Amino acid sequence: MRKIMQVRKIYEKYIAMTVGSIKLYTFSMRVKDLVKISYVAVRGRDEEEGAAQRVLNKKRISSIKQYILDGNMFVNTFVINWNDEKYMPEISDFEIEIPLVDSVAQLIDGQHRLEGLKEALKADDSISEKRIMVSMVIGLKTKDAAKIFININSEQKPVPKSLIFDLYGVTDDDKNFAIIRSDDIAKELNENVDSPYYNLIKYPGSPRGKGKIDLSTVVTTLKKYVDLDGKFVDNNIKDLDFQSQIIVNYFTALKYYWDEEDLWGNSSQNIFFKASGFVAALEFFFEYVFPKCVEKKSFKLDYLISLFDFSDISLITNSDIKGTDGKTARKMIMDNLKEGLKTEAPEENEYEY
């Protein structure tokens, strides 16, 4: 006779509320129980209903881990979408019964916090017994899950406008998509502490001397590459986070070499703090570097750095383009970058004769 598997269950008091047409059940549970039942479905990668999360930021996870190990815990809720029909929660008037089964509930909000908890658990197992707040919905489709994600994050912090396109999908009649996406990447360049342009994008109304590159320059240059018929989308790189990270990594690779000559931090000589330098660098990237990365299937920083060798080349500075018009300056900058870009000729035995 086949033995029936006994599923362990937990029982928690809950508070129910309805937001629009969506019913939420909020309760506390132990960290280890949420770790067991939850999983992440990432938009643009996982096809299943409810996928609304972004890809992970490792540095953010590391900082959350340390925050927890320092004795802190979260007061805001984790949001899960229960979508397993075989094992379903049972809800009475006062109590909710939750089957402790692996990966039965999508994590809609709290991905980085949970990953930080998992990392902290490796250092301190007692964290598994700590209690956290969870809000649960049952059987949501992707569009409704995305609405919850946007709603939560809009309250906590400004959400990139083009995140809505990633969550709901992009169509040809989204006329402002390229401008909105370019603006969001500019914001990442300006606000990401690891970006070479951290606090260096000049926004309208900024105080005199604040910023190096006008927002309009960034947006105007990027929009043709991020549009629906641009290089990113043509190569199936559609996610805002991926696109932003690629641009950050590329300029960080350039910064690596300009730092070696103490030029990046030299405001008067850093060519990439000029509009002509920024525009030329991006045009060079998409024309010459981007195809190599696509072929290699890598936009990692170390790979981008490895594509260049400026050891026998004088790096171009603002003094070199002084007195030239914009078109001439951009060509000079691109020529300098082209000199430093390694040629990858095949070995002799790789040729066919």
Side-chain angles (χ1 to χ4, degrees):
M1 183 176 178
R2 187 177 177 182
K3 187 176 180 181
I4 299 175
M5 184 181 72
Q6 295 295 317
V7 175
R8 191 163 66 89
K9 301 177 181 179
I10 58 173
Y11 302 84
E12 303 289 354
K13 302 291 185 183
Y14 72 90
I15 298 173
M17 66 179 295
T18 301
V19 179
S21 61
I22 300 171
K23 190 88 174 263
L24 293 100
Y25 303 91
T26 300
F27 47 86
S28 73
M29 67 188 307
R30 292 176 299 182
V31 168
K32 67 179 182 182
D33 294 333
L34 179 61
V35 168
K36 183 174 181 65
I37 68 171
S38 66
Y39 70 96
V40 172
V42 178
R43 69 170 193 272
R45 187 192 70 191
D46 300 317
E47 297 300 323
E48 67 178 82
E49 289 290 349
Q53 268 288 7
R54 288 178 281 180
V55 292
L56 292 171
N57 182 316
K58 293 181 180 180
K59 289 188 176 180
R60 187 175 172 193
I61 292 170
S62 179
S63 66
I64 290 172
K65 170 189 172 182
Q66 191 57 53
Y67 172 81
I68 296 163
L69 291 176
D70 287 342
N72 301 297
M73 192 47 69
F74 310 108
V75 295
N76 50 327
T77 67
F78 293 79
V79 182
I80 59 174
N81 176 25
W82 193 286
N83 59 6
D84 189 286
E85 296 180 356
K86 183 178 179 182
Y87 301 101
M88 291 290 289
E90 294 185 14
I91 302 166
S92 66
D93 289 341
F94 305 103
E95 200 170 53
I96 189 165
E97 177 186 297
I98 303 170
L100 290 181
V101 180
D102 291 334
S103 305
V104 287
Q106 294 172 343
L107 193 62
I108 296 179
D109 189 70
Q111 179 187 19
H112 285 91
R113 282 176 285 146
L114 188 61
E115 289 303 317
L117 279 166
K118 289 178 182 178
E119 290 300 310
L121 274 169
K122 295 176 184 178
D124 183 357
D125 185 64
S126 68
I127 292 169
S128 66
E129 296 295 328
K130 292 185 179 295
R131 298 189 76 82
I132 49 180
M133 295 301 296
V134 176
S135 290
M136 182 180 71
V137 292
I138 299 175
L140 282 193
K141 301 297 183 182
T142 299
K143 189 170 183 178
D144 288 327
K147 283 180 181 178
I148 290 179
F149 180 82
I150 290 290
N151 179 281
I152 292 167
N153 286 279
S154 294
E155 292 301 318
Q156 292 176 354
K157 56 187 179 296
V159 171
K161 296 175 185 176
S162 61
L163 178 59
I164 297 170
F165 293 111
D166 286 343
L167 292 173
Y168 291 118
V170 178
T171 59
D172 292 336
D173 59 358
D174 292 316
K175 298 177 181 177
N176 294 321
F177 170 73
I179 294 173
I180 293 171
R181 175 54 55 94
S182 299
D183 184 73
D184 285 333
I185 293 176
K187 184 177 181 181
E188 178 68 12
L189 280 172
N190 191 59
E191 297 183 2
N192 183 343
V193 294
D194 295 320
S195 165
Y197 287 100
Y198 177 61
N199 278 341
L200 293 177
I201 307 299
K202 189 171 185 177
Y203 282 78
S206 296
R208 186 179 178 85
K210 174 77 171 178
K212 300 296 181 183
I213 302 293
D214 287 340
L215 174 65
S216 60
T217 299
V218 180
V219 172
T220 301
T221 310
L222 274 173
K223 65 180 183 180
K224 66 181 178 181
Y225 301 115
V226 302
D227 208 349
L228 299 176
D229 57 356
K231 290 284 184 74
F232 276 134
V233 175
D234 279 351
N235 289 276
N236 294 317
I237 303 170
K238 303 173 184 177
D239 188 277
L240 169 64
D241 294 335
F242 288 147
Q243 293 176 1
S244 299
Q245 191 61 57
I246 287 169
I247 300 299
V248 169
N249 284 356
Y250 169 61
F251 278 108
T252 303
L254 295 182
K255 180 178 182 292
Y256 173 85
Y257 289 102
W258 263 252
D259 270 341
E260 287 187 332
E261 301 295 327
D262 294 324
L263 287 173
W264 191 271
N266 187 334
S267 297
S268 65
Q269 292 301 320
N270 186 345
I271 199 77
F272 304 113
F273 285 176
K274 293 278 191 183
S276 56
F278 183 86
V279 173
L282 273 182
E283 289 180 352
F284 180 82
F285 172 70
F286 282 104
E287 185 172 349
Y288 297 103
V289 179
F290 188 85
K292 292 177 181 287
C293 294
V294 169
E295 184 178 0
K296 183 74 172 178
K297 297 180 181 178
S298 175
F299 290 92
K300 287 187 175 181
L301 177 58
D302 57 356
Y303 175 65
L304 286 164
I305 290 173
S306 74
L307 291 176
F308 294 94
D309 182 4
F310 292 99
S311 55
D312 297 320
I313 300 167
S314 296
L315 300 181
I316 192 167
T317 67
N318 288 332
S319 296
D320 298 316
I321 65 169
K322 189 175 181 180
T324 62
D325 60 85
K327 184 177 180 180
T328 302
R330 290 194 298 273
K331 185 179 184 306
M332 291 173 63
I333 296 162
M334 289 186 71
D335 286 345
N336 189 242
L337 291 172
K338 196 180 297 184
E339 280 188 82
L341 188 64
K342 294 178 183 176
T343 56
E344 298 176 352
E347 296 296 326
E348 184 176 26
N349 60 5
E350 293 180 315
Y351 287 105
E352 293 182 355
Y353 302 95

